[in-house]
Amino acid sequence: MSARKRTVVLISGRGSNMTALIAAASNPDYPAEIVGVISDRANAAGLGIAAARGIATKVISRADYSNKEAHDGAIDAALVSFGAEIVALAGYMRILGARFVEKWLGRMINIHPALLPAFKGLDTHARAIRAGIRIHGCTVHFVTLDMDDGPIIAQAAVPVMVGDNEDTLAARVLKAEHRLYPLALGLVAEGKARMEGGRTVLAHFADDADNSTSVVMAPDPLREETDLEHLARITP
């Protein structure tokens, strides 16, 4: 096995996707190694989770820097000190500047709680419910200059149930995120997914054949309520 890719995760809060990446990387056969976690908030709960797992952490607060460029520069310097080869944004709530993004282009990925290109930005679950869509999900993509606009690496879809509210839908999507992000990071770390010419190129990779027949439907017509009276009339 080739050397595992040194990966640094950027967070702003609880770090649940960070935790999923750390869990995946605890397997020595996983192609990425989480070598550091950076937060722009000192009170981010994910910092304690990472530290408890023996991963180096660093707080780089925007308030400590005179401008956005200086803040980006400090993050870049920290990434270099960690020896980062891949940067994974996991609930990092600040927009990174053009110079920073261009330096890490093709080596920085993000997870977004919607099926891009739909519902870019914030409040994706509430907006999905208001729009009346029946299929929602999450996307891992390469980070480019435009927010939530980079080439898509992988996606996972979940049904929007009739009784869903923002919280129940968010919880269902989050479970999918925790499965999808380790998959996508693994593809990038192995070189099976790369950014080329503004697109994601998949190489040395084949989908599971079972995926070609899988369908997510909502409402699922196969699970309609049974008409017991009708069933009784036709049952011998």
Side-chain angles (χ1 to χ4, degrees):
M1 178 180 172
S2 59
R4 303 168 75 195
K5 293 294 184 181
R6 295 176 64 84
T7 302
V8 175
V9 183
L10 271 59
I11 65 171
S12 292
R14 61 186 176 180
S16 70
N17 273 303
M18 173 209 73
T19 303
L21 295 180
I22 291 173
S26 67
N27 183 338
D29 293 330
Y30 188 72
E33 176 187 8
I34 309 302
V35 297
V37 171
I38 297 172
S39 174
D40 64 323
R41 298 177 180 174
N43 62 350
L47 291 170
I49 294 171
R53 286 159 175 76
I55 296 172
T57 64
K58 189 173 182 64
V59 176
I60 304 178
S61 173
R62 173 67 180 86
D64 293 335
Y65 296 87
S66 58
N67 55 50
K68 179 179 177 58
E69 291 71 24
H71 186 231
D72 284 354
I75 296 171
D76 180 64
L79 292 172
V80 172
S81 71
F82 280 127
E85 297 171 279
I86 298 173
V87 181
L89 309 184
Y92 186 69
M93 300 305 292
R94 289 191 176 277
I95 296 175
L96 295 160
R99 181 177 298 180
F100 183 96
V101 172
E102 287 170 354
K103 175 176 179 178
W104 292 96
L105 197 65
R107 297 181 291 158
M108 182 161 56
I109 62 178
N110 178 55
I111 188 161
H112 181 72
L115 292 173
L116 292 174
F119 304 116
K120 298 177 182 180
L122 302 175
D123 302 320
T124 59
H125 309 306
R127 290 159 59 202
I129 290 174
R130 287 198 299 270
I133 67 167
R134 307 304 333 160
I135 304 295
H136 192 39
C138 50
T139 303
V140 179
H141 63 97
F142 287 106
V143 177
T144 57
L145 295 177
D146 293 325
M147 184 180 68
D148 300 331
D149 197 50
I152 292 168
I153 300 166
Q155 292 183 305
V158 301
V160 180
M161 309 303 285
V162 173
D164 266 338
N165 57 38
E166 181 179 356
D167 292 336
T168 57
L169 182 56
R172 188 175 307 113
V173 172
L174 189 61
K175 288 182 179 179
E177 291 179 40
H178 293 167
R179 295 177 58 189
L180 185 71
Y181 211 175
L183 167 68
L185 174 59
L187 291 176
V188 174
E190 287 186 289
K192 292 182 177 179
R194 68 181 188 277
M195 183 175 167
E196 187 175 290
R199 298 175 63 89
T200 295
V201 177
L202 297 175
H204 312 294
F205 173 80
D207 276 317
D208 185 335
D210 290 341
N211 282 344
S212 66
T213 59
S214 61
V215 177
V216 176
M217 291 190 290
D220 187 343
L222 301 179
R223 297 186 181 182
E224 292 177 343
E225 291 185 10
T226 303
D227 185 338
L228 296 178
E229 291 185 3
H230 175 71
L231 185 62
R233 287 195 298 269
I234 65 174
T235 301

